[in-house]
Amino acid sequence: MAVFMAGLGLTQVQAQDRVYRCPGTPVEYINNAEQARSRGCALMQGGNITVIEGIKPQAANPAAARRSPAAAERVDSAAQRARDSDARAILETELRRAEERLAEARKAYAGGEPEKQGIEGRNHQRYLDRVAELKEAVGRAESDVAGIRRELGRLPAANGSTPPSNQ
C-alpha cells in the first residue's frame, strides 16, 4: 500500500513539472502532453505557474439592507449633550492655543519687516526667505483659527455660553 501511495505522489509531482504554454488570445497553460502536441503548445522551462482564484462576491445580507440609520443604536439626549459639551470644550481649548500661535506668528512677522538676524545683514536673500516663511506661518495659523471656529459653529449651542468672537 505504501509503495502504491508513493507511486501516486510521484506521478502528481511529474505532472506539475511539465507545463505547456499554448499560443492564442488569451494565452493558456496546460499540463496535458497530448493536448499540448495537438495544439502546438511549447514546453515552459524554469518555473511553475501559480493560479490565484479571484474573490467570489457574497450575496447581500437582507437584514442589513433593511436596517435604516434610524434603527441604528441611538444615544440618549443626556449622553449626546455630554459629548457635545466635551467636544465644545476641546475645540475651545484648541481655539485658544491656535489664537496664541497666531499672535506669536504675527509678532515674529512684524508686519512684514522683522528685525534682521546675524548673517541676514550681509545676505539679503536669507532675510527674504525668512520673511516668506514667517508670512506662511501667519497664513497657516489664521487658517487653523478659522477652521476651529467653523467647527465650533457646527456644534449645537451650549446653554449659557457665547459664540467665539472673531478677531
Side-chain angles (χ1 to χ4, degrees), residues 51-69:
V51 177
I52 301 173
E53 291 187 29
I55 298 172
K56 296 177 184 174
Q58 296 180 351
N61 186 356
R66 283 181 288 177
R67 196 178 313 164
S68 66

Side-chain angles (χ1 to χ4, degrees), residues 117-129:
Q117 298 175 344
I119 197 169
E120 292 175 348
R122 290 176 283 159
N123 188 344
H124 189 65
Q125 186 58 46
R126 274 197 177 179
Y127 174 75
L128 294 176
D129 292 343

Side-chain angles (χ1 to χ4, degrees), residues 44-119:
M44 294 284 300
Q45 297 291 330
N48 293 328
I49 305 297
T50 303
V51 177
I52 301 173
E53 291 187 29
I55 298 172
K56 296 177 184 174
Q58 296 180 351
N61 186 356
R66 283 181 288 177
R67 196 178 313 164
S68 66
E73 282 188 40
R74 290 189 177 261
V75 178
D76 64 346
S77 60
Q80 187 61 47
R81 277 194 300 272
R83 289 179 184 176
D84 291 343
S85 119
D86 290 346
R88 179 171 293 283
I90 291 168
L91 284 172
E92 287 173 349
T93 302
E94 286 298 316
L95 179 62
R96 280 192 298 278
R97 288 182 188 155
E99 286 173 339
E100 289 171 4
R101 286 192 301 269
L102 176 59
E104 290 172 8
R106 284 182 176 161
K107 182 179 176 185
Y109 183 57
E113 297 178 4
E115 254 184 64
K116 292 186 177 185
Q117 298 175 344
I119 197 169

